[in-house]
Amino acid sequence: MSKVFSEGDWETDLPSIGTDFRFSKKRDKTNKVKKTAPTAENGGPVIDDPSRPPGWSVRLPKPESSSRENGIKKDNTKRNTPADERKEGKKRKAPTDVTENDSKSKKKNKHNPEAQIPATATNGKKAAAKETNDTKQKPSVRAAPKEPANLREKLVERLKGSRFRFINEQLYKSTGEQAQQLFAEDPGSFAAYHEGYRHQIVQWSMNPLDRMIKSIRKLPKNTIVADFGCGEARLAESLPNQVYSLDLVAHNSNVIACDMAHTPLESNFVNVVVFCLSLMGTNLADFLLEANRVLKVGGILKIAEVSSRFDNVNEFVAKVRQCGFELENKDLKHKLFYFFNFKKDRTVLRGSTKIKPFSLKPCLYKKR
């Protein structure tokens, strides 16, 4: 026996022959986990049954899986995987009930693309979109809608522009008396002319009337001003001085309607006479002689005109000098407008001197 069990040590307390032999083997200590057999103490079956004779072997029942303890039945049926089916040469077939239902749902929801998406997917997309909108909150900038051009409005604007150019040409070709008669026969033409004039001012780099207002504000407040060809009388509205607004047609109650060659003002009465883009007509000498009449000696004549109207500036200055004025200063630096300041040095009565009629070139506006 010692040869058979050379590596083992006999236990001191051995049972008699016929019983189970047990011996302990010296083994090196390792980190292997010892498997304990199920006993009665740890919940296993009882092997030592006194009713059975010694040496009998008991077949232990198979341990039930943990899934059964949780009340879940385990399905041990073998399912063919796609790899197995390919080995056997079988073709995978989609379930008939799923395909039929999908085809029916697609036909029903053909015009509703959102209905073809499962509810969970749509809810997920909506939730994701909501999160992005809530977290980012980027301001949405709407492009301004382009309004379609109204043909009628364009035609009306063209008609207004054409009417303005026609009236403007008539004023350059006629005398002050003829221009007054033109507006008397057609009262709406004066409003049409000044409406077109306002459209032209917007396109200018500067308004010469602003410069006139700025220069007169530097004078004493008791300075009396006469605005020849005042238009809408903006000069009088912008100054604290006493201003007499004169034009062919009265735009409001503060404007005196008259011919610029014959005004109702007294002689030697005003301190400043203004011609701001109003030297229009063929008889400019009559306008300047009337300005000489109403001005006090030493009074100021201020002229602002479009630069393109002058062929010869020196010739123009000479004509004004014949009407009783001396040039104080001039500004020809601006591209669009020329500015002159004259001073009355003597009184010149109409008819006392022979002054040839003169005029400036017409101011031509671009056709729109």
Side-chain angles (χ1 to χ4, degrees), residues 2 12 133 138 160 163 170 218 223 271 361:
S2 61
T12 57
N133 293 333
K138 291 184 179 180
K160 288 181 180 179
R163 192 178 185 187
Q170 296 300 317
K218 298 177 181 179
T223 301
N271 304 108
K361 292 194 307 181

Short mmCIF file of all heavy atoms in Angstrom, two decimals, residues 2 12 133 138 160 163 170 218 223 271 361:
data_model
loop_
_atom_site.label_atom_id
_atom_site.label_comp_id
_atom_site.label_asym_id
_atom_site.label_seq_id
_atom_site.Cartn_x
_atom_site.Cartn_y
_atom_site.Cartn_z
N SER A 2 2.00 1.14 0.68
CA SER A 2 2.88 2.31 0.73
C SER A 2 3.42 2.65 -0.64
O SER A 2 3.76 3.77 -0.92
CB SER A 2 4.03 2.04 1.70
OG SER A 2 4.80 0.92 1.26
N THR A 12 -4.59 8.89 10.82
CA THR A 12 -4.48 8.05 12.02
C THR A 12 -5.75 7.29 12.28
O THR A 12 -5.74 6.12 12.64
CB THR A 12 -4.12 8.90 13.22
OG1 THR A 12 -5.12 9.92 13.35
CG2 THR A 12 -2.76 9.59 13.00
N ASN A 133 -32.77 73.67 -29.74
CA ASN A 133 -33.35 75.00 -29.79
C ASN A 133 -33.29 75.69 -28.44
O ASN A 133 -33.08 76.89 -28.34
CB ASN A 133 -34.81 74.93 -30.26
CG ASN A 133 -34.90 74.49 -31.71
OD1 ASN A 133 -33.98 74.72 -32.48
ND2 ASN A 133 -36.00 73.86 -32.08
N LYS A 138 -30.47 80.42 -30.91
CA LYS A 138 -29.90 81.38 -31.83
C LYS A 138 -31.00 82.23 -32.42
O LYS A 138 -32.02 81.72 -32.85
CB LYS A 138 -29.15 80.65 -32.95
CG LYS A 138 -27.89 79.97 -32.48
CD LYS A 138 -27.16 79.35 -33.65
CE LYS A 138 -25.88 78.68 -33.19
NZ LYS A 138 -25.15 78.06 -34.31
N LYS A 160 -44.12 112.40 -63.18
CA LYS A 160 -43.77 113.54 -62.33
C LYS A 160 -42.42 114.13 -62.76
O LYS A 160 -42.25 115.35 -62.82
CB LYS A 160 -43.71 113.11 -60.87
CG LYS A 160 -45.07 112.83 -60.26
CD LYS A 160 -44.92 112.42 -58.80
CE LYS A 160 -46.28 112.15 -58.17
NZ LYS A 160 -46.14 111.72 -56.76
N ARG A 163 -42.81 116.02 -66.00
CA ARG A 163 -43.50 117.30 -65.80
C ARG A 163 -42.56 118.33 -65.17
O ARG A 163 -42.58 119.51 -65.53
CB ARG A 163 -44.73 117.09 -64.93
CG ARG A 163 -45.66 118.30 -64.89
CD ARG A 163 -46.87 118.05 -64.06
NE ARG A 163 -47.79 119.17 -64.13
CZ ARG A 163 -48.89 119.29 -63.38
NH1 ARG A 163 -49.19 118.33 -62.51
NH2 ARG A 163 -49.68 120.34 -63.51
N GLN A 170 -39.38 125.65 -69.13
CA GLN A 170 -40.21 126.82 -69.41
C GLN A 170 -39.78 128.02 -68.57
O GLN A 170 -39.79 129.16 -69.06
CB GLN A 170 -41.69 126.49 -69.15
CG GLN A 170 -42.27 125.44 -70.05
CD GLN A 170 -42.20 125.83 -71.51
OE1 GLN A 170 -42.48 126.97 -71.90
NE2 GLN A 170 -41.81 124.88 -72.36
N LYS A 218 -24.91 134.37 -38.51
CA LYS A 218 -23.79 135.10 -37.90
C LYS A 218 -24.04 136.61 -37.85
O LYS A 218 -23.31 137.34 -37.17
CB LYS A 218 -22.50 134.83 -38.70
CG LYS A 218 -22.09 133.36 -38.69
CD LYS A 218 -20.85 133.14 -39.55
CE LYS A 218 -20.44 131.68 -39.58
NZ LYS A 218 -19.24 131.45 -40.45
N THR A 223 -31.24 142.04 -38.42
CA THR A 223 -31.01 142.10 -39.86
C THR A 223 -32.28 141.68 -40.59
O THR A 223 -32.85 140.61 -40.33
CB THR A 223 -29.85 141.17 -40.26
OG1 THR A 223 -28.67 141.57 -39.56
CG2 THR A 223 -29.61 141.22 -41.74
N ASN A 271 -31.70 144.56 -45.39
CA ASN A 271 -30.25 144.50 -45.23
C ASN A 271 -29.60 143.42 -46.09
O ASN A 271 -28.42 143.54 -46.45
CB ASN A 271 -29.88 144.23 -43.77
CG ASN A 271 -30.47 145.25 -42.82
OD1 ASN A 271 -31.40 144.96 -42.06
ND2 ASN A 271 -29.94 146.48 -42.86
N LYS A 361 -27.09 129.87 -68.34
CA LYS A 361 -27.51 128.67 -69.07
C LYS A 361 -28.55 127.90 -68.27
O LYS A 361 -28.53 127.89 -67.04
CB LYS A 361 -26.29 127.77 -69.34
CG LYS A 361 -25.29 128.35 -70.30
CD LYS A 361 -24.29 127.31 -70.79
CE LYS A 361 -23.61 126.60 -69.67
NZ LYS A 361 -22.62 125.61 -70.17
#
